[in-house]
Amino acid sequence: MTLNENDIKNVKSLIANSKNIAIITHFNPDADAVGSSIGLYLYLKAKRKNVNIIMPNPFPSFLDFFATDIPMILGYKETKKANDLLLKSDIIFCLDFNMIHRVGNANKDALLNSPATKILIDHHQLPEKHFNILFSNPNASSTTEVLAHFIKALSGKRAITFEMAQAIYIGICTDTGSFSYNCNNAETYALVSDLIAKGVKADMVHQEVYNTFSENRLRLLGYSIAEKLKVFPKYQAAYICLTKEELRQYHFQPGDTEGLVNYCLNLKGINFGCLITERDRIIRLSFRSKVNTFDVNQFARKYWDGGGHIMASGGTYQGKLEDVIIALEKQIKTLKDEI
Ligand code: 5GP
Ligand code: MN
């Protein structure tokens, strides 16, 4: 992956001349969001920069093993502190999102109005216009993969320490579903090889990320598949819908439904999967596609105020769960030729 040389030169001098740097990622941060934030934080700290991570809300506990020691400001809780930092920063790195509103209501205005240079490092399609310098590659497996190339372009391969390598590996591993999609690319594996050479223990990371479920989370997974999976063989689609009450019964914690939508695609002949979860004031939708002819990024943008990638996207709806079900089933039936 080659990054624009002028942009790299420009960013080098911006970093050298900066006093305050902020790093922000999206609301409901996933492993790629957290991994890229920590990887970049460690790089800038090594350069002795004054840098703060603003995490809009807490990250899933399966990331505790590598993320608990890193200081973070919780945007939805320490809102004033986070917004003051955004407003007084010289540079804001925006990681793993490309629409300002994705940082959440508490911080989006401060991010938008900040006079800082906004640098995007990301792998989603169609970035908004609010970013000043973009390192955005929709063909990359993950934001951490783009970040690795960014650090290499600025300071060379040797600047990536073991801790940075681990953070980068976690983003690649999780955003590709353990190397099962978005990674038909020799360059990604060459990078992974370098990360392993830096000391990353892929087996240990896998154990921490995938084999640390709480009992409730595993039972919620079983319940979702046994009782809540709705399959439309004729339309090659399937979805799972979980109500607020069902999530409460299984003591839902952030991250507990991570990966659940993918089970829809385990079915032979099913190309479109969806997970609907009823949250406190909002309904969240996750979409997955098995065929690149059905673009769930476009689907999420068109119908569900969302976005993402061709084969993985998400969106939201404010209103009743019943209305979501009616609308989604109608969409599944009308889209049958595309799916
Ligand atoms: P997930 O289903 O894992 O929450 O999200 C899948 C992908 O879609 C991620 O890359 C995520 O960044 C993107 N995504 C999820 N929710 C939203 C949303 O509400 N808006 C946009 N623009 N992207 C989303
Ligand atoms: Mn990502």
Side-chain angles (χ1 to χ4, degrees):
M1 190 186 309
T2 41
L3 305 178
N4 183 296
E5 256 177 56
N6 277 335
D7 286 343
I8 290 291
K9 231 189 235 170
N10 196 356
V11 169
K12 234 183 202 171
S13 89
L14 280 168
I15 292 176
N17 295 316
S18 68
K19 282 210 176 73
N20 300 304
I21 302 178
I23 294 172
I24 190 163
T25 186
H26 58 82
F27 201 81
N28 293 332
D30 60 1
D32 192 29
V34 178
S36 54
S37 300
I38 291 179
L40 181 60
Y41 172 87
L42 294 172
Y43 170 71
L44 293 169
K45 271 280 165 198
K47 292 184 90 54
R48 308 197 175 283
K49 302 307 297 187
N50 180 24
V51 51
N52 285 284
I53 299 179
I54 295 161
M55 202 45 69
N57 63 335
F59 54 78
S61 61
F62 68 81
L63 297 172
D64 284 351
F65 79 99
F66 85 110
T68 40
D69 294 341
I70 308 290
M72 293 180 189
I73 294 144
L74 275 180
Y76 83 123
K77 221 177 190 174
E78 301 163 85
T79 304
K80 187 171 175 340
K81 190 173 172 191
N83 289 345
D84 285 350
L85 278 169
L86 288 171
L87 290 165
K88 72 161 205 215
S89 287
D90 306 303
I91 303 173
I92 303 174
F93 282 97
C94 301
L95 303 184
D96 201 38
F97 70 95
N98 66 9
M99 295 157 125
I100 298 281
H101 76 90
R102 295 216 61 223
V103 301
N105 289 336
N107 308 117
K108 68 176 200 275
D109 292 336
L111 176 59
L112 186 65
N113 297 326
S114 171
T117 304
K118 296 174 191 101
I119 303 176
L120 182 74
I121 301 181
D122 182 50
H123 67 133
H124 294 91
Q125 293 186 339
L126 305 170
E128 280 180 349
K129 292 192 185 81
H130 307 294
F131 307 98
N132 305 104
I133 303 175
L134 290 82
F135 300 99
S136 167
N137 185 347
N139 296 320
S141 64
S142 54
T143 295
T144 60
E145 183 177 4
V146 184
L147 175 70
H149 290 284
F150 174 79
I151 295 174
K152 278 198 251 176
L154 283 176
S155 300
K157 224 170 169 170
R158 289 178 60 184
I160 300 179
T161 61
F162 160 71
E163 284 81 9
M164 291 177 215
Q166 181 164 262
I168 291 165
Y169 181 82
I170 287 164
I172 300 174
C173 168
T174 55
D175 260 28
T176 59
S178 281
F179 303 93
S180 56
Y181 46 82
N182 270 348
C183 54
N184 276 337
N185 190 346
E187 207 183 14
T188 307
Y189 289 90
L191 170 60
V192 168
S193 167
D194 288 346
L195 301 176
I196 304 290
K198 297 259 180 194
V200 172
K201 302 277 175 278
D203 48 2
M204 183 278 280
V205 170
H206 197 99
Q207 295 295 347
E208 291 287 350
V209 172
Y210 297 105
N211 295 341
T212 51
F213 280 31
S214 65
E215 184 179 337
N216 276 315
R217 180 176 174 187
L218 191 60
R219 292 196 188 280
L220 174 64
L221 167 65
Y223 170 74
S224 304
I225 297 170
E227 308 286 338
K228 303 301 307 262
L229 177 70
K230 201 158 172 198
V231 188
F232 298 80
K234 190 173 156 197
Y235 302 106
Q236 300 172 81
Y239 75 79
I240 293 167
C241 174
L242 294 169
T243 64
K244 216 189 309 188
E245 179 52 26
E246 287 165 328
L247 293 173
R248 200 192 55 76
Q249 276 171 15
Y250 287 92
H251 304 275
F252 174 79
Q253 298 295 318
D256 278 0
T257 52
E258 190 96 25
L260 181 52
V261 62
N262 296 316
Y263 286 93
C264 298
L265 299 188
N266 282 152
L267 287 162
K268 188 172 182 178
I270 297 301
N271 291 332
F272 174 48
C274 172
L275 171 70
I276 306 159
T277 49
E278 185 187 22
R279 303 297 173 89
D280 276 344
R281 273 177 297 274
I282 211 157
I283 294 162
R284 278 213 38 83
L285 296 104
S286 279
F287 305 109
R288 296 291 185 273
S289 168
K290 217 150 75 180
V291 285
N292 56 15
T293 45
F294 181 59
D295 179 345
V296 288
N297 170 43
Q298 292 300 341
F299 178 79
R301 280 172 187 263
K302 189 167 169 190
Y303 296 113
W304 299 103
D305 192 24
H309 314 278
I310 295 174
M311 297 173 104
S313 69
T316 51
Y317 180 79
Q318 267 168 327
K320 287 197 204 136
L321 194 59
E322 302 89 87
D323 296 338
V324 172
I325 304 284
I326 292 168
L328 183 76
E329 290 197 3
K330 205 165 151 192
Q331 287 154 11
I332 286 173
K333 287 168 190 168
T334 51
L335 285 167
K336 70 175 192 301
D337 294 332
E338 288 176 53
I339 301 171

